[in-house]
PDB file of all heavy atoms in Angstrom:
ATOM      1  N   TYR J 724     297.184 -32.952 276.271  1.00 90.00           N
ATOM      2  CA  TYR J 724     296.287 -32.447 275.224  1.00 90.00           C
ATOM      3  C   TYR J 724     296.025 -33.539 274.184  1.00 90.00           C
ATOM      4  O   TYR J 724     294.895 -33.767 273.770  1.00 90.00           O
ATOM      5  CB  TYR J 724     296.896 -31.190 274.594  1.00 90.00           C
ATOM      6  CG  TYR J 724     296.591 -31.005 273.129  1.00 90.00           C
ATOM      7  CD1 TYR J 724     295.337 -30.575 272.710  1.00 90.00           C
ATOM      8  CD2 TYR J 724     297.553 -31.268 272.164  1.00 90.00           C
ATOM      9  CE1 TYR J 724     295.062 -30.414 271.362  1.00 90.00           C
ATOM     10  CE2 TYR J 724     297.286 -31.098 270.823  1.00 90.00           C
ATOM     11  CZ  TYR J 724     296.042 -30.678 270.425  1.00 90.00           C
ATOM     12  OH  TYR J 724     295.769 -30.523 269.096  1.00 90.00           O
ATOM     13  N   VAL J 725     297.091 -34.229 273.777  1.00 86.00           N
ATOM     14  CA  VAL J 725     296.941 -35.288 272.780  1.00 86.00           C
ATOM     15  C   VAL J 725     296.025 -36.391 273.301  1.00 86.00           C
ATOM     16  O   VAL J 725     295.243 -36.964 272.546  1.00 86.00           O
ATOM     17  CB  VAL J 725     298.317 -35.850 272.356  1.00 86.00           C
ATOM     18  CG1 VAL J 725     298.159 -37.062 271.464  1.00 86.00           C
ATOM     19  CG2 VAL J 725     299.126 -34.776 271.642  1.00 86.00           C
ATOM     20  N   THR J 726     296.093 -36.684 274.602  1.00 85.00           N
ATOM     21  CA  THR J 726     295.225 -37.712 275.179  1.00 85.00           C
ATOM     22  C   THR J 726     293.811 -37.182 275.429  1.00 85.00           C
ATOM     23  O   THR J 726     292.951 -37.914 275.902  1.00 85.00           O
ATOM     24  CB  THR J 726     295.776 -38.241 276.520  1.00 85.00           C
ATOM     25  OG1 THR J 726     295.743 -37.200 277.489  1.00 85.00           O
ATOM     26  CG2 THR J 726     297.161 -38.810 276.365  1.00 85.00           C
ATOM     27  N   GLU J 727     293.613 -35.908 275.120  1.00 88.00           N
ATOM     28  CA  GLU J 727     292.326 -35.213 275.283  1.00 88.00           C
ATOM     29  C   GLU J 727     291.931 -35.048 276.748  1.00 88.00           C
ATOM     30  O   GLU J 727     290.761 -34.903 277.073  1.00 88.00           O
ATOM     31  CB  GLU J 727     291.221 -35.892 274.469  1.00 88.00           C
ATOM     32  CG  GLU J 727     291.523 -35.887 272.984  1.00 88.00           C
ATOM     33  CD  GLU J 727     290.484 -36.593 272.139  1.00 88.00           C
ATOM     34  OE1 GLU J 727     289.440 -37.039 272.665  1.00 88.00           O
ATOM     35  OE2 GLU J 727     290.711 -36.698 270.920  1.00 88.00           O
ATOM     36  N   ASP J 728     292.919 -35.021 277.619  1.00 93.00           N
ATOM     37  CA  ASP J 728     292.687 -34.706 279.024  1.00 93.00           C
ATOM     38  C   ASP J 728     292.945 -33.207 279.175  1.00 93.00           C
ATOM     39  O   ASP J 728     293.972 -32.773 279.698  1.00 93.00           O
ATOM     40  CB  ASP J 728     293.616 -35.525 279.920  1.00 93.00           C
ATOM     41  CG  ASP J 728     293.235 -35.415 281.387  1.00 93.00           C
ATOM     42  OD1 ASP J 728     292.494 -34.470 281.749  1.00 93.00           O
ATOM     43  OD2 ASP J 728     293.682 -36.274 282.168  1.00 93.00           O
ATOM     44  N   TYR J 729     291.987 -32.430 278.683  1.00 96.00           N
ATOM     45  CA  TYR J 729     292.170 -30.987 278.573  1.00 96.00           C
ATOM     46  C   TYR J 729     292.312 -30.291 279.920  1.00 96.00           C
ATOM     47  O   TYR J 729     293.084 -29.336 280.043  1.00 96.00           O
ATOM     48  CB  TYR J 729     291.032 -30.371 277.765  1.00 96.00           C
ATOM     49  CG  TYR J 729     290.931 -30.929 276.359  1.00 96.00           C
ATOM     50  CD1 TYR J 729     289.709 -31.283 275.819  1.00 96.00           C
ATOM     51  CD2 TYR J 729     292.058 -31.108 275.577  1.00 96.00           C
ATOM     52  CE1 TYR J 729     289.606 -31.798 274.531  1.00 96.00           C
ATOM     53  CE2 TYR J 729     291.974 -31.627 274.287  1.00 96.00           C
ATOM     54  CZ  TYR J 729     290.744 -31.961 273.772  1.00 96.00           C
ATOM     55  OH  TYR J 729     290.656 -32.469 272.510  1.00 96.00           O
ATOM     56  N   THR J 730     291.617 -30.757 280.931  1.00 97.00           N
ATOM     57  CA  THR J 730     291.705 -30.118 282.248  1.00 97.00           C
ATOM     58  C   THR J 730     293.133 -30.209 282.788  1.00 97.00           C
ATOM     59  O   THR J 730     293.696 -29.204 283.247  1.00 97.00           O
ATOM     60  CB  THR J 730     290.711 -30.770 283.234  1.00 97.00           C
ATOM     61  OG1 THR J 730     289.395 -30.644 282.687  1.00 97.00           O
ATOM     62  CG2 THR J 730     290.767 -30.110 284.594  1.00 97.00           C
ATOM     63  N   LYS J 731     293.710 -31.392 282.717  1.00 95.00           N
ATOM     64  CA  LYS J 731     295.088 -31.560 283.193  1.00 95.00           C
ATOM     65  C   LYS J 731     296.077 -30.843 282.278  1.00 95.00           C
ATOM     66  O   LYS J 731     297.070 -30.292 282.749  1.00 95.00           O
ATOM     67  CB  LYS J 731     295.436 -33.041 283.303  1.00 95.00           C
ATOM     68  CG  LYS J 731     294.757 -33.732 284.464  1.00 95.00           C
ATOM     69  CD  LYS J 731     295.171 -35.184 284.550  1.00 95.00           C
ATOM     70  CE  LYS J 731     294.442 -35.901 285.684  1.00 95.00           C
ATOM     71  NZ  LYS J 731     294.758 -37.341 285.699  1.00 95.00           N
ATOM     72  N   ALA J 732     295.803 -30.842 280.989  1.00 96.00           N
ATOM     73  CA  ALA J 732     296.680 -30.149 280.043  1.00 96.00           C
ATOM     74  C   ALA J 732     296.727 -28.658 280.358  1.00 96.00           C
ATOM     75  O   ALA J 732     297.806 -28.053 280.395  1.00 96.00           O
ATOM     76  CB  ALA J 732     296.214 -30.377 278.612  1.00 96.00           C
ATOM     77  N   VAL J 733     295.562 -28.062 280.583  1.00 98.00           N
ATOM     78  CA  VAL J 733     295.500 -26.637 280.929  1.00 98.00           C
ATOM     79  C   VAL J 733     296.308 -26.366 282.196  1.00 98.00           C
ATOM     80  O   VAL J 733     297.087 -25.406 282.273  1.00 98.00           O
ATOM     81  CB  VAL J 733     294.034 -26.164 281.096  1.00 98.00           C
ATOM     82  CG1 VAL J 733     293.959 -24.821 281.798  1.00 98.00           C
ATOM     83  CG2 VAL J 733     293.350 -26.087 279.737  1.00 98.00           C
ATOM     84  N   ALA J 734     296.163 -27.220 283.199  1.00 97.00           N
ATOM     85  CA  ALA J 734     296.875 -27.026 284.474  1.00 97.00           C
ATOM     86  C   ALA J 734     298.392 -27.053 284.263  1.00 97.00           C
ATOM     87  O   ALA J 734     299.113 -26.198 284.805  1.00 97.00           O
ATOM     88  CB  ALA J 734     296.453 -28.086 285.479  1.00 97.00           C
ATOM     89  N   GLU J 735     298.879 -28.002 283.471  1.00 95.00           N
ATOM     90  CA  GLU J 735     300.324 -28.111 283.245  1.00 95.00           C
ATOM     91  C   GLU J 735     300.853 -26.938 282.425  1.00 95.00           C
ATOM     92  O   GLU J 735     301.926 -26.403 282.715  1.00 95.00           O
ATOM     93  CB  GLU J 735     300.675 -29.437 282.568  1.00 95.00           C
ATOM     94  CG  GLU J 735     300.433 -30.653 283.427  1.00 95.00           C
ATOM     95  CD  GLU J 735     301.217 -30.666 284.722  1.00 95.00           C
ATOM     96  OE1 GLU J 735     302.410 -30.292 284.736  1.00 95.00           O
ATOM     97  OE2 GLU J 735     300.635 -31.060 285.758  1.00 95.00           O
ATOM     98  N   ILE J 736     300.111 -26.545 281.402  1.00 96.00           N
ATOM     99  CA  ILE J 736     300.557 -25.414 280.576  1.00 96.00           C
ATOM    100  C   ILE J 736     300.535 -24.130 281.401  1.00 96.00           C
ATOM    101  O   ILE J 736     301.440 -23.300 281.293  1.00 96.00           O
ATOM    102  CB  ILE J 736     299.703 -25.308 279.297  1.00 96.00           C
ATOM    103  CG1 ILE J 736     299.940 -26.541 278.415  1.00 96.00           C
ATOM    104  CG2 ILE J 736     300.047 -24.031 278.532  1.00 96.00           C
ATOM    105  CD1 ILE J 736     298.985 -26.671 277.243  1.00 96.00           C
TER     106      ILE J 736
END
Side-chain angles (χ1 to χ4, degrees):
Y724 147 75
V725 173
T726 66
E727 299 178 5
D728 190 342
Y729 301 135
T730 302
K731 287 182 182 175
V733 165
E735 293 300 319
I736 295 170

